[in-house]
Amino acid sequence: MFEPVVSVSGNASSTLPMAPIVCVEHVFKSVTDSSGTLSILRDIDFTLAPRETAAIVGASGSGKSTLLSIIAGLDTPTQGTVRLAGVDLFALGEDERAALRARTIGFVFQNFQLMGNLTALENVMLPLELSGAKGARSMATEMLRRVGLGERLGHYPKVLSGGEQQRVALARAFVVQPAVLLADEPTGSLDFATGETVMALMFALNQELGTTLVLVTHDPAIAARCQRRITIEAGQISAD
């Protein structure tokens, strides 16, 4: 089993602001169709500090994934806003919001969302190349080595196991050293042992790189490992 190497002496955390890195401010979300208006989120309000870990939990359909999408700026609230590193996401145009997202946020999804026509190395290099970073190959190689895939650089997703694909996805998310990592059911499609390995790695990298970690999960054991648990019931925070 892969054992993550943890080092909390790096410089990444020292560059993060002391103020909250994520501020969700009185967010409402509703949608209207021919049958009427459906309220998805109602007055969601909380902040997260740099390096903090938080689990967003609740029943299916409670609004967890919608909230995660709004935090990322992929969906827009009906009312309220989200600030990332002090910047109001929804005061920006779409291009500016995408640029901020690329600099600030990493994503990990249940279904991995790797590019099937790219190798593991190329998948991890992709966000670096899109941002114009120098040394993308060496940075991606090092990150894959750190997640235990140094011997799988040239392999395509179809020949990797589910756990290996999720580790590639983690390497892709963390290689840009994001201030915030958003993960939507990151172990939902993995067996227990593989999921444990992936979560150990995710929390290790959270500490090593000083990244704020926000997880949507149905797993109470994963939620218990986070510093904060934000419970959504019928679109509202019932416990924080």
Side-chain angles (χ1 to χ4, degrees):
M1 180 179 291
F2 169 69
E3 294 292 339
V5 178
V6 182
S7 171
V8 295
S9 59
N11 295 325
S13 62
S14 64
T15 63
L16 290 172
M18 296 304 293
I21 191 71
V22 176
C23 296
V24 179
E25 301 177 350
H26 302 291
V27 162
F28 291 74
K29 178 67 177 182
S30 59
V31 294
T32 302
D33 59 20
S34 58
S35 63
T37 299
L38 173 64
S39 179
I40 300 172
L41 296 172
R42 292 182 288 169
D43 201 19
I44 303 296
D45 193 84
F46 63 88
T47 64
L48 296 173
R51 305 181 70 95
E52 193 167 13
T53 58
I56 300 174
V57 300
S60 296
S62 60
K64 302 186 304 298
S65 293
T66 298
L67 175 57
L68 205 68
S69 293
I70 289 174
I71 293 172
L74 295 170
D75 196 359
T76 57
T78 306
Q79 182 179 331
T81 196
V82 173
R83 297 181 189 275
L84 290 179
V87 178
D88 184 342
L89 268 181
F90 301 107
L92 303 176
E94 288 189 13
D95 290 345
E96 293 172 310
R97 193 157 60 238
L100 178 63
R101 186 164 51 240
R103 295 193 306 269
T104 310
I105 298 177
F107 299 92
V108 179
F109 301 96
Q110 179 177 341
N111 60 356
F112 320 132
Q113 295 197 3
L114 300 178
M115 302 292 289
N117 62 329
L118 301 181
T119 65
L121 179 60
E122 291 166 342
N123 266 284
V124 179
M125 288 173 61
L126 185 60
L128 294 168
E129 292 176 328
L130 291 174
S131 68
K134 296 181 179 179
R137 179 173 292 273
S138 61
M139 292 168 68
T141 299
E142 172 62 15
M143 185 56 71
L144 282 166
R145 185 195 67 77
R146 290 164 75 183
V147 302
L149 294 176
E151 304 300 318
R152 307 286 267 170
L153 303 181
H155 290 71
Y156 289 91
K158 66 181 180 181
V159 299
L160 299 175
S161 69
E164 288 172 332
Q165 289 185 60
Q166 193 61 298
R167 281 193 264 163
V168 173
L170 279 178
R172 182 182 60 186
F174 276 108
V175 75
V176 295
Q177 298 196 18
V180 180
L181 181 78
L182 305 177
D184 195 355
E185 297 287 358
T187 62
S189 60
L190 304 176
D191 63 74
F192 176 79
T194 304
E196 282 290 296
T197 300
V198 166
M199 290 310 304
L201 172 62
M202 186 177 294
F203 280 101
L205 290 172
N206 152 255
Q207 288 299 306
E208 182 177 348
L209 299 179
T211 297
T212 297
L213 181 60
V214 185
L215 301 169
V216 164
T217 183
H218 284 96
D219 188 331
I222 292 175
R225 296 174 67 172
C226 294
Q227 295 164 315
R228 295 266 301 280
R229 177 154 57 182
I230 299 168
T231 303
I232 307 293
E233 290 185 0
Q236 293 181 296
I237 294 179
S238 65
D240 183 3

